[in-house]
């Protein structure tokens, strides 16, 4: 079993081939990640192109600006969860399937759920798209919501790879560290 815990993060998991950031009229565009090497199965990952938007400065269209989606978790679509979870990973010996268990203590969705609606599922969103699950359970103490446990099941090595790419982005964004137990 392995887990991700909130600590400073320095990932040896992947190494990106990057272009140097460029500045243009005071704006900085992020490096474009076209491919990445992963130590998971030693395969090269081909990441999709990110969305691009043109920036107009003084009536001229400048070079495209790369728009990246911040990796986030949601229980109600459109409402980001602010609480950082404890994540536990298990994988079968043959590598064909695995389970990620997310535990949230006092999640912010409990504060927002009365205003925006009910919990509809577990959504992990990044630049590649959305991973989702409906295996979500709330924990109550003395009749008050205290936590949420959500499970995401991966049934193939491809689903495992996709989940690990999301978790690497989410970990980098939120300062999680991978600890193998």
């Amino acid at each position: 079993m392995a887990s991700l815990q909130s600590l400073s993060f320095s990932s040896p998991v992947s190494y990106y081939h990057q272009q140097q950031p460029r500045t243009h009229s005071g704006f900085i565009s992020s490096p474009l990640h076209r491919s990445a090497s992963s130590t998971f199965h030693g395969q090269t990952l081909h990441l999709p192109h990110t969305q691009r938007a043109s920036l107009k400065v003084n009536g001229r269209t400048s070079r495209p600006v790369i728009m990246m989606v911040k990796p986030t978790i949601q229980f109600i679509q459109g409402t980001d969860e602010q609480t950082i979870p404890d994540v536990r990973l298990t994988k079968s010996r043959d590598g064909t399937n695995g389970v990620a268990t997310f535990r949230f203590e006092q999640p912010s969705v409990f504060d927002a759920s009365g205003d925006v609606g009910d919990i509809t599922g577990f959504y992990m969103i990044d630049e590649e798209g959305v991973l989702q699950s409906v295996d979500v359970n709330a924990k109550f103490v003395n009749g008050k919501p205290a936590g949420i446990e959500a499970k995401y099941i991966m049934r193939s090595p491809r689903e495992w790879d996709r989940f690990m790419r999301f978790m690497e982005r989410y970990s980098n964004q939120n300062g999680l560290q991978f600890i193998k137990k």
Side-chain angles (χ1 to χ4, degrees), residues 7 24 55 79 96 108 122 132 142 161:
L7 298 170
H24 184 69
L55 179 67
T79 305
T96 58
S108 64
F122 179 63
Q132 64 185 19
N142 295 327
D161 287 344

Side-chain angles (χ1 to χ4, degrees), residues 11 25 39 41 46 56-57 63 68 71 78 81 91 104 121 130 132 134 140 160 162-163 170 177 181:
S11 174
S25 302
T39 56
H41 296 300
H46 295 284
K56 289 194 175 198
V57 179
R63 293 182 182 170
M68 302 294 283
E81 176 56 49
K91 188 174 182 183
F104 297 83
V130 179
Q132 64 185 19
V134 293
F140 291 83
W160 178 269
R162 169 64 179 102
F163 172 78
Y170 186 79
Q177 181 178 5
K181 293 182 180 181

Side-chain angles (χ1 to χ4, degrees), residues 6-17:
S6 182
L7 298 170
S8 64
F9 185 76
S10 172
S11 174
V13 176
S14 70
Y15 305 92
Y16 292 106
H17 169 69

Side-chain angles (χ1 to χ4, degrees), residues 29-40:
S29 65
S30 300
L32 178 61
H33 303 292
R34 295 201 184 268
S35 66
S37 297
S38 171
T39 56
F40 186 76

